[in-house]
Amino acid sequence: MLFFTPPREHFFRPLTHDDRELCAAVLRTLYERVHGANADYAEVLTRDLVLEVIQHTLANPALRSMAFEVGQAVRPEAERAYAAELLRKLKDYGWLEDYRDPIDLRPTLKLSRAGKAFSETFANMDDSRAKTRQRNMRSARKALVAFIATRDADELLDAHEFASRVVQDLQDDIEYFRHLIQSLTREALAQKVAWDEFNDFIEKRFAREYAVRLVADSAERHRGQIYESLENVRALDGEQRLQIDAHLLQRASWLEPMVQGRSPMLWLADRIESMVEAACSLKLPMLRSEMNNYVRRFTSLLRQALSLDYGAESPLGQTMAWLKENVDPAHGLLLDVLARRLATSEIRLSGGVLRWTVRDREVVGPEQAPLVVDETSRLNALLRQAEAEAFAFSDQQVLQGLLPYLSNGPITLAALPIDTAEDAVRVLHAVGAARSTEGRRIMRASKTLGQVSTPFFRADDYELRTEWADAESHKRS
């Protein structure tokens, strides 16, 4: 598709003049008025409505200065002429197009397809807009559950789409915090504190978006349930898989060159798992790190601004400016005066950036009992160490303890022996170890309909099987 063809031959020309920011504000307002969350769909986009939007945008003093000279008295006729000229440009260059209302056949206007797409971009970049909460992780989980229940191929495609949005949303958040850190650096060089941006982040962005994304819609919170659903998807075999694969290729033709002869259903399951894993192990830690860096950097600059008076209007700033502007003989005279004034002063370095009154008296601490090392203290230390290490198992130790029981085939948690406390802890951590990064390479954990009940705990039962056992069963089938 060729984009820069009539009527879009000079599509971006209205955004190349001095009033381009005003033009972008008009397009953003038009999109919100016609296609935004608060749009009145019963209202058609007439010429008078567009002129009204342009004149309302001209009421903003910051934008008005781009169209008219500051302080100049502008007659209403000049404003209407400017609005009509901007409307003509938007029509000539392909942002707006004529449209005849099919109900009453009135001539109206509408945003063209390209105009709507780029106006939506301007609207989405406005951070002050009220945005909905992100629920992509929950939507991906619910789509997988719906696919397992109905075998609808569209549900699996929706789950893949939601999972891809999770990673993209987290990457956008990381870039947002990097932009804030760069803005902090620029403001600090200008001896300012970017308080407005920090206040906007705390009161608007964090409360509305990041708190939800890091808690209710956290990738880590729903990872286990998504992995469980993906295991159920992979368990579909035979006629069901072939039928779903055919429906997937019919719904999404782009899958055929991607799967390269594999099952589209299994390829989508692997892609969803890899994206969820990337969001949990890579993107979420990066987001937390960037958020922590931004808050820490802002806190440091705020403390520095509160503890040091380095502004141009401060006495120190005025003195430095005077030394810079005057000639050399005056420098020596002023420095001599300052030296005499400071001669009776006592200069001390305070710790950190906090201010406090220095006290000469020493604080006497409580006397400590002498350190006694005898057989009883050694025994108590060994007992505390043994209690701390008794039930500390790594995933690798749990997997090594499970593999001997899987040598004869799949086994459920209820069938594992629980003769000691160590066996009970191994059964408790078996599913988590099987779904760890190392465990997924050697075994699978699938939820069953039963439950495992022991004198120590009661939980859902799972079937454990090794990867090579699954490979042999696929070869036999």
Side-chain angles (χ1 to χ4, degrees):
M1 174 185 174
L2 298 178
F3 182 82
F4 293 101
T5 56
R8 299 188 301 266
E9 188 175 4
H10 303 288
F11 184 73
F12 294 104
R13 183 165 292 180
L15 299 173
T16 59
H17 303 295
D18 294 339
D19 60 345
R20 53 183 175 270
E21 195 66 44
L22 188 147
C23 182
V26 169
L27 292 171
R28 184 164 51 243
T29 306
L30 283 176
Y31 178 83
E32 292 289 345
R33 188 78 174 259
V34 180
H35 301 287
N38 299 321
D40 183 5
Y41 292 96
E43 183 182 38
V44 295
L45 191 63
T46 61
R47 175 185 174 87
D48 293 337
L49 180 59
V50 177
L51 294 176
E52 178 188 344
V53 168
I54 298 175
Q55 290 179 335
H56 183 269
T57 307
L58 283 172
N60 187 340
L63 299 175
R64 186 183 183 86
S65 61
M66 301 176 185
F68 306 104
E69 294 184 7
V70 180
Q72 178 185 4
V74 181
R75 301 179 61 182
E77 293 80 3
E79 289 188 3
R80 287 194 293 269
Y82 177 84
E85 178 64 18
L86 182 56
L87 172 59
R88 183 191 63 80
K89 291 179 181 179
L90 294 177
K91 285 183 59 179
D92 291 346
Y93 298 121
W95 290 87
L96 296 173
E97 59 186 9
D98 292 321
Y99 177 71
R100 188 170 294 277
D101 193 342
I103 298 177
D104 54 8
L105 300 180
R106 285 191 308 165
T108 59
L109 296 171
K110 73 171 184 177
L111 285 167
S112 64
R113 183 180 178 185
K116 177 184 175 183
F118 286 99
S119 300
E120 182 181 7
T121 302
F122 290 142
N124 290 336
M125 291 185 69
D126 185 4
D127 294 337
S128 63
R129 297 174 65 242
K131 297 182 180 179
T132 57
R133 294 177 176 180
Q134 300 294 328
R135 301 185 57 178
N136 290 323
M137 280 301 299
R138 284 173 282 178
S139 299
R141 175 176 59 83
K142 292 176 181 177
L144 285 174
V145 173
F147 169 74
I148 295 170
T150 62
R151 305 293 192 270
D152 187 356
D154 290 330
E155 297 289 353
L156 187 58
L157 291 173
D158 289 342
H160 178 267
E161 177 68 20
F162 288 127
S164 63
R165 291 180 189 174
V166 171
V167 180
Q168 184 61 42
D169 287 342
L170 291 175
Q171 182 61 38
D172 291 343
D173 295 339
I174 293 169
E175 296 297 333
Y176 168 70
F177 282 107
R178 289 174 180 172
H179 166 73
L180 288 181
I181 292 175
Q182 293 175 358
S183 177
L184 274 182
T185 305
R186 290 193 301 268
E187 296 289 333
L189 291 176
Q191 298 182 357
K192 298 178 182 178
V193 179
W195 180 257
D196 292 337
E197 291 185 354
F198 184 78
N199 189 50
D200 178 75
F201 158 68
I202 292 295
E203 294 187 357
K204 298 179 181 178
R205 300 296 293 268
F206 185 82
R208 295 177 183 176
E209 297 181 45
Y210 298 110
V212 178
R213 195 170 298 168
L214 295 175
V215 181
D217 200 48
S218 173
E220 293 175 342
R221 178 178 180 180
H222 303 280
R223 173 167 56 172
Q225 295 173 333
I226 288 178
Y227 285 167
E228 227 174 76
S229 299
L230 291 175
E231 290 299 327
N232 293 331
V233 171
R234 294 188 179 101
L236 300 177
D237 204 352
E239 187 65 27
Q240 284 185 334
R241 181 185 297 180
L242 293 176
Q243 187 176 5
I244 294 171
D245 288 343
H247 289 170
L248 286 172
L249 292 176
Q250 183 180 7
R251 300 285 199 284
S253 57
W254 55 270
L255 278 173
E256 189 169 358
M258 302 293 293
V259 299
Q260 296 180 354
R262 289 186 57 198
S263 167
M265 184 187 73
L266 295 181
W267 185 87
L268 286 173
D270 292 342
R271 283 293 300 160
I272 294 173
E273 183 176 2
S274 64
M275 286 186 288
V276 172
E277 181 66 24
C280 294
S281 61
L282 183 63
K283 295 300 180 182
L284 265 180
M286 288 176 63
L287 175 60
R288 294 192 184 101
S289 176
E290 294 294 340
M291 187 183 299
N292 182 50
N293 290 340
Y294 169 65
V295 175
R296 187 174 56 194
R297 184 81 60 88
F298 181 84
T299 306
S300 175
L301 292 175
L302 184 60
R303 286 178 178 174
Q304 184 179 2
L306 293 177
S307 61
L308 297 177
D309 188 10
Y310 54 78
E313 301 300 327
S314 65
L316 179 59
Q318 292 177 358
T319 303
M320 294 297 105
W322 190 89
L323 286 173
K324 181 179 179 181
E325 294 172 358
N326 287 276
V327 294
D328 291 337
H331 290 180
L333 179 61
L334 176 62
L335 292 176
D336 290 339
V337 174
L338 292 177
R340 285 194 296 270
R341 290 185 178 181
L342 294 174
T344 58
S345 302
E346 183 181 1
I347 300 176
R348 297 187 182 186
L349 295 177
S350 59
V353 295
L354 300 178
R355 295 176 177 176
W356 63 83
T357 303
V358 179
R359 298 178 180 177
D360 294 330
R361 64 183 181 86
E362 295 181 357
V363 179
V364 180
E367 295 184 2
Q368 296 183 356
L371 182 63
V372 178
V373 179
D374 54 11
E375 185 176 355
T376 303
S377 63
R378 292 177 185 273
L379 180 60
N380 291 334
L382 289 174
L383 287 175
R384 288 194 298 269
Q385 182 180 359
E387 290 175 356
E389 297 178 354
F391 303 109
F393 297 104
S394 65
D395 290 337
Q396 187 176 6
Q397 291 174 325
V398 175
L399 293 172
Q400 289 176 354
L402 292 173
L403 286 176
Y405 299 105
L406 295 173
S407 57
N408 296 326
I411 189 172
T412 61
L413 297 182
L416 290 173
I418 303 179
D419 300 326
T420 63
E422 183 177 350
D423 294 336
V425 175
R426 181 183 295 114
V427 174
L428 278 172
H429 292 274
V431 177
R435 289 176 174 172
S436 65
T437 304
E438 184 177 357
R440 288 200 302 272
R441 292 197 295 265
I442 58 178
M443 68 175 60
R444 295 284 181 181
S446 304
K447 187 177 180 180
T448 63
L449 298 178
Q451 282 196 334
V452 52
S453 180
T454 69
F456 311 102
F457 62 88
R458 178 180 296 175
D460 295 331
D461 199 5
Y462 285 80
E463 183 185 62
L464 304 177
R465 62 173 61 238
T466 55
E467 284 288 344
W468 49 85
D470 284 345
E472 290 179 359
S473 62
H474 284 310
K475 288 181 181 179
R476 287 195 297 267
S477 61

